[in-house]
Amino acid sequence: MLSKAKIKYIRSLEQKKNRQQERVFVAEGPKVVGDLLKVASARLIVHTAAWKDCGSTCTERIEVTEEELRKISFLQHPQDVLAIFPIFDKTTSSIPNTGLAIALDGIQDPGNLGTIIRIADWFGISQIYCSKDTADVYSPKVIQATMGSIARVQVSYTDLERLIDSCPDGYPVYGTLLDGNNIYEEPLSGKGLIVMGNEGNGISSVIRKRINHRLLIPNYPEGRKTADSLNVAIATAIVCNEFRRRKQA
């Protein structure tokens, strides 16, 4: 049975300040919790009898009824298990020497951030750098939207200006801009940093100046009146797909 104190503690982790203070985050559902348990031990697992445990390790485990799980869940429809994990300490502020990485400049929507992490995982990109004003990767909504990909993608918060300025001369820094060049006609490298901007304002002016490969995702047919822009997560998927398609061609 869950005590009132335990319920209060779990619910408090919806707030960023409490997650940072406790250095933990909440994950829910067999898929997300299962993927995280492959790379980390849980501090607490709360589950119903329906959850199929695969020999996971944790500090504390509590079996509850569906009604009790609803009291602590951040989901509209709880999914048999909720777990508390320690925040990952393995972060970096240096650019990888090989392969692609993603930089997020002011992404605000938790669903977009979580989806981008999932997209990066799908396309084999294991490093994401976030500006300090990007949404918190450990919020329950972000963790849920990653669908377990947070276990395989390293997310670091850093000063993007300094990060890009630290790159070697000629290092490819890509960004999607309305005045960019058609992505389907531009040469693309298997190495570089892909910058994606804020949902409403795009890439900030200070970061825009540091982009040396300006890309545009064209609408079709050319010249047709259409939406002003694409959702940033959808745009990220299109860009990552084109980079990977070129590599396989």
Side-chain angles (χ1 to χ4, degrees):
M1 178 179 291
L2 282 172
S3 66
K4 290 183 178 179
K6 191 75 71 176
I7 293 172
K8 183 178 180 181
Y9 168 68
I10 295 171
R11 294 298 306 179
S12 75
L13 298 178
E14 186 173 16
Q15 298 183 34
K16 181 178 179 179
K17 65 178 182 179
N18 294 328
R19 293 193 298 271
Q20 291 180 329
Q21 180 177 324
E22 298 293 329
R23 301 296 298 164
V24 296
F25 66 96
V26 175
E28 296 192 60
K31 168 63 176 167
V32 180
V33 171
D35 281 359
L36 283 166
L37 285 171
K38 294 175 183 177
V39 298
S41 296
R43 298 278 179 85
L44 170 67
I45 297 178
V46 182
H47 64 92
T48 67
W51 181 57
K52 303 300 181 183
D53 186 5
C54 298
S56 58
T57 59
C58 68
T59 305
E60 183 179 6
R61 185 192 308 267
I62 304 173
E63 184 172 325
V64 297
T65 65
E66 291 183 4
E67 180 59 32
E68 287 177 307
L69 187 62
R70 275 193 288 272
K71 291 180 180 179
I72 59 171
S73 176
F74 298 108
L75 302 177
Q76 185 174 359
H77 302 289
Q79 300 175 15
D80 293 329
V81 60
L82 177 152
I84 296 176
F85 290 92
I87 284 176
F88 299 127
D89 290 325
K90 294 181 178 180
T91 60
T92 180
S93 58
S94 59
I95 290 288
N97 293 325
T98 60
L100 293 171
I102 293 173
L104 302 180
D105 185 16
I107 300 298
Q108 297 297 300
D109 184 83
N112 282 337
L113 177 55
T115 302
I116 289 171
I117 293 169
R118 189 176 177 184
I119 289 166
D121 185 24
W122 181 262
F123 286 105
I125 298 173
S126 59
Q127 181 66 57
I128 294 178
Y129 303 93
C130 295
S131 63
K132 294 180 180 180
D133 60 343
T134 291
D136 180 22
V137 68
Y138 292 111
S139 78
K141 289 182 179 179
V142 175
I143 295 297
Q144 196 63 28
T146 71
M147 288 303 294
S149 290
I150 188 65
R152 293 175 292 274
V153 178
Q154 183 171 298
V155 180
S156 303
Y157 286 79
T158 188
D159 184 325
L160 293 186
E161 294 177 58
R162 292 185 179 180
L163 177 72
I164 296 173
D165 288 346
S166 71
C167 293
D169 290 342
Y171 188 86
V173 180
Y174 299 92
T176 52
L177 300 163
L178 291 177
D179 61 350
N181 300 314
N182 190 325
I183 187 172
Y184 303 115
E185 298 173 354
E186 285 292 292
L188 302 176
S189 170
K191 177 179 77 172
L193 185 67
I194 301 170
V195 182
M196 304 302 296
N198 173 269
E199 290 90 343
N201 302 315
I203 299 171
S204 62
S205 58
V206 292
I207 300 301
R208 195 179 300 135
K209 295 174 183 177
R210 291 164 165 79
I211 291 172
N212 52 33
H213 294 274
R214 304 164 75 89
L215 303 176
L216 170 71
I217 301 172
N219 65 298
Y220 289 93
E222 186 177 350
R224 172 180 172 270
K225 186 173 178 58
T226 186
D228 292 335
S229 62
L230 287 170
N231 170 274
V232 65
I234 292 174
T236 302
I238 292 171
V239 171
C240 290
N241 179 72
E242 183 62 13
F243 270 89
R244 292 314 192 203
R245 188 187 70 83
R246 299 285 188 90
K247 186 176 181 180
Q248 295 175 7

